[in-house]
Amino acid sequence: MVTIQTENFSLEQIWQSGQCFRMRQTEGVSEEFFREQITGRGEGRGYEIIAGHRYLEAFSLGERCMLSCSKEEYEDFWKGYFDLENDYNSYISRVDPGDGYLLSAASLGWGIRILKQDLWETLVSFLISQQNNIVRIRRCISNICRQYGEKRVSSGGKEYYAFPEPNALAGLKEDGLRECNLGYRSKYVVRAARSVASGETDLARICGMGYPEAKAELLKLFGVGEKVAECICLFALHHLEAFPVDTHISQAMEKHYKKGFPLKRYQGIQGVMQQYIFYYELHGAATDR
């Protein structure tokens, strides 16, 4: 077990930020370690995170966060996954003091970090995300993992399903994932699986590319448009200059940045600012009207 205390890190905000879809808030705390740690210390929140084939239980209490992994696994994977090596306070400090809207957004989303997720899982997740909502996306991904992913058991005895490999989906008919509630998105995922499984699309090669090149490669895939490519670049490849524009971001731009968002001012961290705006539009803007 690992206990960390890091500024600008909120599991709840990350869970609600629309980056990942195999993270959920849990009602109870199953690990005995957590029970021992939190007794008499106030109310906290538990989370279950599945990333690829890995499983993690986490519990946040104030500024402390307890993770159900070894120190080795934390250093090798989870520390990087949560992007805990970067200083997000320095990003917030770069917000234009004259931009009241972005100041409010960054203040509300103070604990968001850009996750470093698996490229294949993120590609499938955001193909499914098109014309969809977060609740349904989570359900669709849960369905395909249960149907086609490998069943595993965590060190604490929790059963879960790994994310299915491309080969597990490549042999399906194009409408084969409709039974998992993907609808017309089924053909996007199946064709992507075939492209990766056949070697036509080399994910390892894309991981080694810069932002413009990686985005161009992703756009070659059937069903991947501008927004999906930007999301994959940001949430899997960690190209922080990516700036996905969906309905929420578009509405914010029309209202607050009629001349366009000042991307040059935030060179290299445009995607971090995008997440603050996205989170604010979902969880804060309505209360300020």
Side-chain angles (χ1 to χ4, degrees):
M1 302 295 172
V2 175
T3 299
I4 60 175
Q5 188 163 331
T6 304
E7 292 183 347
N8 304 104
F9 178 50
S10 167
L11 287 170
E12 181 169 13
Q13 291 185 4
I14 292 170
W15 170 57
Q16 294 180 327
S17 67
Q19 296 183 58
C20 60
F21 306 100
R22 302 200 75 199
M23 178 178 181
R24 71 182 187 92
Q25 201 171 67
T26 55
E27 293 183 5
V29 181
S30 66
E31 294 284 356
E32 189 64 31
F33 170 83
F34 292 147
R35 295 194 188 97
E36 292 174 358
Q37 293 292 316
I38 66 176
T39 300
R41 293 176 181 269
E43 184 179 353
R45 293 188 180 276
Y47 297 87
E48 176 187 82
I49 303 111
I50 306 173
H53 65 274
R54 297 176 185 264
Y55 176 89
L56 180 75
E57 280 194 86
F59 191 84
S60 63
L61 184 64
E63 294 184 350
R64 294 170 63 219
C65 183
M66 288 156 276
L67 310 176
S68 68
C69 61
S70 66
K71 290 182 179 179
E72 291 76 18
E73 188 179 5
Y74 170 73
E75 291 291 339
D76 291 344
F77 182 78
W78 293 109
K79 185 177 182 179
Y81 178 82
F82 289 120
D83 199 26
L84 294 175
E85 295 172 315
N86 281 324
D87 180 6
Y88 277 68
N89 192 48
S90 70
Y91 300 159
I92 293 175
S93 70
R94 287 177 57 180
V95 175
D96 181 356
D99 189 339
Y101 171 77
L102 191 54
L103 283 171
S104 295
S107 177
L108 183 70
W110 60 269
I112 296 172
R113 286 176 179 259
I114 308 298
L115 301 179
K116 296 181 181 179
Q117 301 180 79
D118 176 75
L119 177 53
W120 166 243
E121 182 171 346
T122 308
L123 167 59
V124 173
S125 298
F126 283 94
L127 282 172
I128 293 171
S129 76
Q130 298 178 82
Q131 300 297 312
N132 220 338
N133 61 58
I134 291 176
V135 173
R136 286 191 61 200
I137 299 166
R138 287 172 177 159
R139 189 180 305 124
C140 289
I141 293 172
S142 176
N143 289 342
I144 66 172
C145 290
R146 285 182 173 273
Q147 185 74 21
Y148 300 102
E150 179 186 347
K151 188 175 183 178
R152 297 195 173 207
V153 180
S154 74
S155 59
K158 175 77 174 184
E159 290 187 351
Y160 67 100
Y161 292 86
F163 198 84
E165 297 293 335
N167 286 335
L169 306 178
L172 299 176
K173 294 181 180 179
E174 287 196 355
D175 63 353
L177 292 173
R178 284 182 176 269
E179 64 183 27
C180 294
N181 302 118
L182 268 66
Y184 69 88
R185 306 165 195 85
S186 173
K187 60 181 178 290
Y188 298 160
V189 174
V190 172
R191 288 199 193 183
R194 290 174 182 172
S195 183
V196 174
S198 69
E200 179 183 355
T201 298
D202 187 341
L203 296 184
R205 180 169 163 268
I206 293 174
C207 285
M209 293 178 175
Y211 167 54
E213 295 79 14
K215 181 179 174 181
E217 284 298 308
L218 291 168
L219 285 169
K220 294 177 182 179
L221 287 163
F222 179 68
V224 175
E226 185 77 12
K227 190 210 78 171
V228 170
E230 291 280 328
C231 286
I232 298 168
C233 284
L234 182 58
F235 303 132
L237 301 174
H238 211 67
H239 294 306
L240 298 186
E241 59 268 54
F243 192 87
V245 177
D246 70 344
T247 301
H248 300 290
I249 298 297
S250 181
Q251 290 174 347
M253 296 301 104
E254 290 176 8
K255 186 173 182 179
H256 302 284
Y257 303 98
K258 295 187 183 299
K259 295 182 179 180
F261 187 75
L263 293 170
K264 289 185 178 179
R265 178 184 178 89
Y266 302 106
Q267 187 64 40
I269 58 167
Q270 295 96 321
V272 179
M273 299 300 132
Q274 187 270 1
Q275 274 289 277
Y276 293 147
I277 294 171
F278 181 83
Y279 183 82
Y280 189 71
E281 287 299 305
L282 257 64
H283 304 289
T287 62
D288 291 343
R289 291 179 184 134

